[in-house]
Amino acid sequence: MQRSETNQTCVMDEDEIERTLVRMAHQILEQNKGCENLALVGILTRGDILARKLADIIYSIEGVHVPVGSLDISFYRDDFLTYLSPEVHGTHIPFSLDGKTVVLIDDVLYTGRTIRAALDALMDLGRPASIQLAVLVDRGHRELPIRADYVGKNVPSSHEEDVRVNIRPNDDTTSVEIWTKPTAGVDGGVN
């Protein structure tokens, strides 16, 4: 008998996510002394949405449109060969990365492997002056020496949990949830 995930906790609702993104935008502007030479690149798919939201907030603060791009890391992942047909979206960065301060944006920072793949992909596209990392959620459990410069919320979690970011228009709601994964029983089934 198989049991589906039943234990779910909402750790951020839509309003809290919006307030967090405003705070992060202010931190990015403060750290970089404004938005001159700044570019935002979101890792597909939810990092891309977050990057566009941050760009809109920066525009409302500074009155400047910072360039925004989206990065597909499908072919840079270290587990690429384990997927028979990876979902490929395509990278879209309509500006030069050379000499820019690039803020790489993702939804959840976990092991660090996604960010390592994104750094490889960015370096293949140009030579930024610097790369900073912004994540909505840092859940810990790093396997690589990677840390975020800007963190929306630290969400301690176990390996037996999934941290899920839902953002419209990709999802029905905008929230951050923790789901408990089902555990395997003694007989090998799922309890």
Side-chain angles (χ1 to χ4, degrees):
M1 184 172 135
Q2 194 169 13
R3 187 177 81 195
S4 64
E5 299 163 314
T6 56
N7 198 1
Q8 165 197 358
T9 305
C10 181
V11 294
M12 292 179 84
D13 63 17
E14 186 168 5
D15 290 338
E16 187 174 359
I17 290 171
E18 290 303 318
R19 284 191 302 274
T20 298
L21 291 174
V22 169
R23 176 179 49 80
M24 291 174 70
H26 279 283
Q27 289 174 331
I28 290 167
L29 290 170
E30 182 178 343
Q31 177 68 30
N32 293 289
K33 296 175 177 52
C35 56
E36 185 177 334
N37 212 33
L38 190 68
L40 307 180
V41 175
I43 300 172
L44 289 167
T45 57
R46 287 169 184 81
D48 174 48
I49 296 169
L50 292 170
R52 286 184 271 129
K53 286 180 174 285
L54 284 167
D56 290 343
I57 296 166
I58 288 171
Y59 177 76
S60 72
I61 297 167
E62 295 283 312
V64 175
H65 290 286
V66 296
V68 180
S70 58
L71 186 65
D72 184 352
I73 62 162
S74 299
F75 296 114
Y76 288 88
R77 295 181 56 92
D78 59 6
D79 59 356
F80 167 72
L81 295 176
T82 62
Y83 292 101
L84 294 176
S85 57
E87 189 174 334
V88 178
H89 299 279
T91 292
H92 179 71
I93 300 179
F95 52 88
S96 173
L97 296 175
D98 295 343
K100 294 251 189 247
T101 297
V102 174
V103 181
L104 183 63
I105 300 163
D106 202 9
D107 56 349
V108 178
L109 178 56
Y110 183 32
T111 63
R113 293 181 181 277
T114 296
I115 303 308
R116 186 218 42 92
L119 291 170
D120 288 347
L122 279 177
M123 297 311 286
D124 279 353
L125 296 171
R127 187 171 168 80
S130 67
I131 300 173
Q132 301 169 358
L133 177 60
V135 297
L136 182 62
V137 174
D138 185 343
R139 66 173 289 190
H141 304 289
R142 218 72 78 239
E143 294 174 2
L144 299 173
I146 291 174
R147 67 165 181 77
D149 299 282
Y150 313 101
V151 176
K153 184 170 186 146
N154 288 296
V155 178
S157 62
S158 74
H159 290 292
E160 288 73 41
E161 295 173 317
D162 280 333
V163 176
R164 298 182 187 171
V165 174
N166 304 300
I167 302 177
R168 288 189 194 105
N170 279 25
D171 305 295
D172 294 334
T173 62
T174 296
S175 63
V176 177
E177 302 168 344
I178 297 178
W179 289 70
T180 302
K181 296 178 186 176
T183 55
V186 175
D187 62 358
V190 176
N191 292 328

